[in-house]
């Protein structure tokens, strides 16, 4: 059994433990603010976060703004992207009283943890990380020091708050493994400070973009949560399908058609095959109409809440201020413990 299969096999027991004692768990989750949040984020992570929050699990949600520049030369628009993400978090149901939302650039002690953590991993271990290899190949750029050490920075994001549960998909499992390695090596070398976080493998679907590839801001194939109904219709109208009149779900032979069927299915809860049968021989234009209607109906309330929140600029600042203050208090305490263990306190207190 490979590591991912073994992790999946443990999920039933983990889910039972979360339900029985949610207060024992602290989740660290987040994303890079490289653009607007889209349907892939919503179905892939946001719904899971809202579910965990409703169960009583404490959540720390990091907007990893420093990691925006791992594979690009500018942090342009990062501020707008952070504010945009906060609106979607709130509209989706995340409560800043229960979920701590913060950009990690605003938490200096978190970032200082990267330095001792770097001493606990080898260059070879960093080069072997599949995410680093994949991101480097996709960017077509030379490997930067920040990209190479990306897994260590992510470990600092997780461990600064002593997170012990990290929602992941298969592609991100190696990040949790290297975080566990760093926590274990620190504890063995200096004394116990950190938990070894468990991966929480979610059942979230992979959401295709309108071109059949994975929905991604970098591919330009995404339907943003904050789009208007007309903008949504325009994106779906431009989707490439094919000339066959009969609509059928076949991701390999008909990726564009299948992507729109998947989108409609996720938004309505109706199986893709049922939607395809209902459309029948009415072709791609009817499929696009159905998909547009499904998205706009599913996210009508989300968009209304989002628009209402956006009218008050103090809402976003308040959420970030509370989150940043809380994250800094915890990070300062954790860094203090680390320095104590390492014998690096020099002034009398």
């Amino acid at each position: 059994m490979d590591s991912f299969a073994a992790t999946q096999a443990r999920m039933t027991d983990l889910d039972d433990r979360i339900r029985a004692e949610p207060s024992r768990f602290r989740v660290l989750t987040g994303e890079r603010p490289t653009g607007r949040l889209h349907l892939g984020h919503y179905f892939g992570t946001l719904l899971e976060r809202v579910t965990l929050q409703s169960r009583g699990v404490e959540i720390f949600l990091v907007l990893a703004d420093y990691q925006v520049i791992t594979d690009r030369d500018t942090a342009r628009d990062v501020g707008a992207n952070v504010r945009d993400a906060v609106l979607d978090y709130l509209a989706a149901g995340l409560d800043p009283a229960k979920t701590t939302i913060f950009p990690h650039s605003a938490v200096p002690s978190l970032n200082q943890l990267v330095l001792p953590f770097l001493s606990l991993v080898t260059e070879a271990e960093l080069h072997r990380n599949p995410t680093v290899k994949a991101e480097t190949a996709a960017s077509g750029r030379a490997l930067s020091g920040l990209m190479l050490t990306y897994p260590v920075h992510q470990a600092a994001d997780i461990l600064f708050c002593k997170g012990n549960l990290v929602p992941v998909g298969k592609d991100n499992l190696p990040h949790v493994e290297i975080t566990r390695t760093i926590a274990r090596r620190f504890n063995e070398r200096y004394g116990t400070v950190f938990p070894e976080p468990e991966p929480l493998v979610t059942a979230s679907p992979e959401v295709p973009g309108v071109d059949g590839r994975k929905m991604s801001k970098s591919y330009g194939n995404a339907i943003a949560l904050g789009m208007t109904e007309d903008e949504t219709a325009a994106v779906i109208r431009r989707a490439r399908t094919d000339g066959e009149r009969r609509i059928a779900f076949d991701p390999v032979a008909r990726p564009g058609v299948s992507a729109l069927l998947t989108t409609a299915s996720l938004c309505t809860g109706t199986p893709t095959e049922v939607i395809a049968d209902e459309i029948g021989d009415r072709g791609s234009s009817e499929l696009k109409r159905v998909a547009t209607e499904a998205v706009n109906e599913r996210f009508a309330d989300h968009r209304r809440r989002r628009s209402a929140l956006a009218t008050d600029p103090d809402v976003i600042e308040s959420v970030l201020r509370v989150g940043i203050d809380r994250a800094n208090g915890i990070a300062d305490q954790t860094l203090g413990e680390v320095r104590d263990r390492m014998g690096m306190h020099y002034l009398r207190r």
Side-chain angles (χ1 to χ4, degrees), residues 172-193:
N172 292 318
L173 193 59
H175 283 308
V176 182
E177 292 303 321
I178 201 165
T179 299
R180 288 172 59 85
T181 297
I182 288 170
R184 182 171 61 255
R185 289 175 181 171
F186 185 95
N187 294 341
E188 289 172 350
R189 186 174 297 182
Y190 300 109
T192 301
V193 171

Side-chain angles (χ1 to χ4, degrees), residues 13-14 16-27 55-59 161-165 195 197-198:
D13 174 67
L14 178 57
D16 288 342
R17 286 189 284 131
I18 293 170
R19 290 179 185 276
E21 295 184 87
S23 61
R24 288 185 55 197
F25 295 93
R26 177 176 278 181
V27 165
R55 290 184 180 182
V57 176
E58 186 179 20
I59 299 174
C161 63
K162 301 185 181 178
N164 59 4
L165 195 61
E198 295 183 77

Side-chain angles (χ1 to χ4, degrees), residues 86 90 96 99 101-102 314-324:
V86 171
L90 299 179
T99 296
I101 301 169
F102 65 99
D314 292 337
V315 167
I316 297 173
E317 179 157 347
S318 175
V319 169
L320 290 175
R321 188 177 298 280
V322 168
I324 288 168

Side-chain angles (χ1 to χ4, degrees), residues 33-349:
T34 55
R36 302 167 77 186
L37 299 189
H38 52 64
L39 267 62
H41 295 106
Y42 184 83
F43 291 109
T45 59
L46 264 176
L47 283 179
E48 179 72 20
R49 294 167 186 169
V50 173
T51 298
L52 288 168
Q53 177 186 269
S54 70
R55 290 184 180 182
V57 176
E58 186 179 20
I59 299 174
F60 281 72
L61 204 172
V62 61
L63 286 152
D65 48 351
Y66 274 146
Q67 290 171 9
V68 168
I69 53 173
T70 54
D71 58 357
R72 60 199 72 202
D73 293 327
T74 178
R76 187 183 61 200
D77 299 328
V78 69
N81 293 338
V82 165
R83 291 187 289 272
D84 202 68
V86 171
L87 289 176
D88 280 318
Y89 294 156
L90 299 179
L94 290 176
D95 180 352
K98 301 174 181 177
T99 296
T100 302
I101 301 169
F102 65 99
H104 66 190
S105 68
V107 188
S109 292
L110 180 161
N111 294 290
Q112 193 171 332
L113 289 172
V114 174
L115 294 174
F117 286 178
L118 281 169
S119 73
L120 300 169
V121 293
T122 67
E123 182 183 0
E125 286 173 320
L126 294 175
H127 278 290
R128 284 198 300 268
N129 185 278
T131 302
V132 170
K133 291 192 289 187
E135 290 289 341
T136 303
S139 71
R141 297 159 55 97
L143 181 66
S144 71
L146 186 57
M147 174 59 83
L148 179 63
T149 56
Y150 174 78
V152 180
H153 201 173
Q154 193 165 67
D157 288 338
I158 296 168
L159 295 176
F160 94 94
C161 63
K162 301 185 181 178
N164 59 4
L165 195 61
V166 184
V168 292
K170 184 174 184 178
D171 293 345
N172 292 318
L173 193 59
H175 283 308
V176 182
E177 292 303 321
I178 201 165
T179 299
R180 288 172 59 85
T181 297
I182 288 170
R184 182 171 61 255
R185 289 175 181 171
F186 185 95
N187 294 341
E188 289 172 350
R189 186 174 297 182
Y190 300 109
T192 301
V193 171
F194 299 109
E196 294 184 31
E198 295 183 77
L200 173 63
V201 178
T202 64
S204 306
E206 182 172 297
V207 182
V210 293
D211 59 359
R213 295 182 292 176
K214 180 179 178 180
M215 187 171 286
S216 170
K217 291 165 283 192
S218 60
Y219 292 154
N221 64 358
I223 301 172
L225 297 178
M227 282 181 173
T228 65
E229 291 189 353
D230 288 343
E231 288 171 335
T232 299
V235 169
I236 293 176
R237 192 163 50 245
R238 291 195 299 270
R240 295 184 63 181
T241 50
D242 54 48
E244 291 188 43
R245 294 292 299 171
R246 183 72 184 179
I247 297 301
F249 184 73
D250 186 342
V252 175
R254 306 181 71 183
V257 167
S258 298
L260 294 180
L261 285 168
T262 299
T263 297
S265 176
L266 288 169
C267 290
T268 63
T270 304
T272 53
E273 293 79 4
V274 172
I275 297 172
D277 288 343
E278 289 175 348
I279 296 172
D281 295 325
R282 286 178 287 167
S284 294
S285 61
E286 176 64 9
L287 171 60
K288 291 179 179 181
R289 185 196 69 78
V290 168
T292 299
E293 184 177 281
V295 173
N296 285 336
E297 287 186 2
R298 173 62 187 260
F299 291 99
D301 288 343
H302 178 100
R303 289 164 173 173
R304 276 194 291 270
R305 288 191 294 269
R306 193 182 192 283
S307 295
L309 290 163
T311 62
D312 183 357
D314 292 337
V315 167
I316 297 173
E317 179 157 347
S318 175
V319 169
L320 290 175
R321 188 177 298 280
V322 168
I324 288 168
D325 286 349
R326 180 145 197 269
N328 271 301
I330 291 170
D332 289 348
Q333 182 176 341
T334 301
L335 181 62
E337 291 179 53
V338 165
R339 294 177 63 200
D340 276 342
R341 291 291 188 179
M342 297 178 73
M344 292 182 178
H345 267 305
Y346 308 112
L347 304 177
R348 288 179 295 179
R349 294 176 229 172

